[in-house]
Amino acid sequence: MKLLTKLPLVALLAILTLSSCTTDNIDDKADAMELSLQEIQAKTIEVEILDLINDHRLSLGLEPLADMPVVKSVAYSHTDYMVDNDAVSHDNFFRRSNYLKSNAGAKKVSENVAYGYSSAESVVKAWIKSEGHKANIEGDYTNFDISAERNEDGRYYYTNIFIKK
């Protein structure tokens, strides 16, 4: 009998908990970030990563990729999202991809993400050791850019986006 009297309270608590976990706010935030694109100054670590990726591509006889401000801005919006959520993810990738297809002339889009690597060399080496990430680095793309942002603990989150025009 005691269970029956506590059941409505448990049900109400479950409803309140679930309603605060909707993705609507997250999606709205992602929309807002993508709609307010801005030119972002490259950090030293970001330039080093792009150079290391292009050096790797050149060592394989592949064409180097050109950086692109709109790609950087979209990468930044996702890195900022990961920092805010304290989680590495590809959340909302299709939104980023569709935006770049509509606004940057991209025909194909992919991305690498990472967390916690303290240097350009360490994150690029980790991506090259991973089959999927390496495929993006060595893929048939024309442009790319990256965002590296630190969380409150000073650890980096990375978003590296590749596009083919």
Side-chain angles (χ1 to χ4, degrees):
M1 194 69 173
K2 289 182 183 181
L3 178 62
L4 289 177
T5 59
K6 292 182 182 178
L7 192 56
L9 180 60
V10 171
L12 179 61
L13 189 58
I15 289 169
L16 291 175
T17 302
L18 290 175
S19 67
S20 68
C21 294
T22 65
T23 59
D24 291 343
N25 291 338
I26 293 170
D27 290 342
D28 290 344
K29 184 176 180 181
D31 284 342
M33 285 186 289
E34 289 181 302
L35 294 176
S36 64
L37 295 176
Q38 54 188 316
E39 189 145 342
I40 299 161
Q41 186 67 32
K43 296 175 187 71
T44 301
I45 192 168
E46 294 168 337
V47 172
E48 291 171 353
I49 291 168
L50 298 178
D51 288 345
L52 288 168
I53 289 172
N54 271 337
D55 289 348
H56 177 77
R57 290 177 60 87
L58 288 167
S59 76
L60 300 173
L62 300 171
E63 291 293 317
L65 303 176
D67 60 343
M68 192 173 191
V70 67
V71 176
K72 178 162 195 58
S73 185
V74 172
Y76 172 79
S77 72
H78 184 61
T79 305
D80 190 47
Y81 169 87
M82 291 191 300
V83 169
D84 285 350
N85 289 283
D86 196 27
V88 178
S89 74
H90 292 286
D91 291 355
N92 305 305
F93 172 75
F94 291 107
R95 257 195 200 122
R96 289 187 295 288
S97 177
N98 288 338
Y99 184 89
L100 291 168
K101 288 175 180 175
S102 296
N103 295 284
K107 293 182 176 115
K108 182 169 112 174
V109 180
S110 69
E111 72 181 14
N112 290 343
V113 296
Y115 166 75
Y117 294 94
S118 60
S119 70
E121 297 82 12
S122 63
V123 72
V124 172
K125 281 182 183 179
W127 281 334
I128 290 172
K129 287 181 184 177
S130 163
E131 192 77 24
H133 296 103
K134 181 179 177 182
N136 289 338
I137 289 171
E138 297 175 1
D140 182 22
Y141 298 102
T142 55
N143 300 83
F144 70 158
D145 224 311
I146 189 157
S147 172
E149 299 298 324
R150 290 182 187 226
N151 67 5
E152 290 177 359
D153 298 327
R155 299 192 65 147
Y156 277 109
Y157 281 83
Y158 302 90
T159 304
N160 185 197
I161 298 179
F162 302 85
I163 71 168
K164 178 178 179 148
K165 290 184 85 169

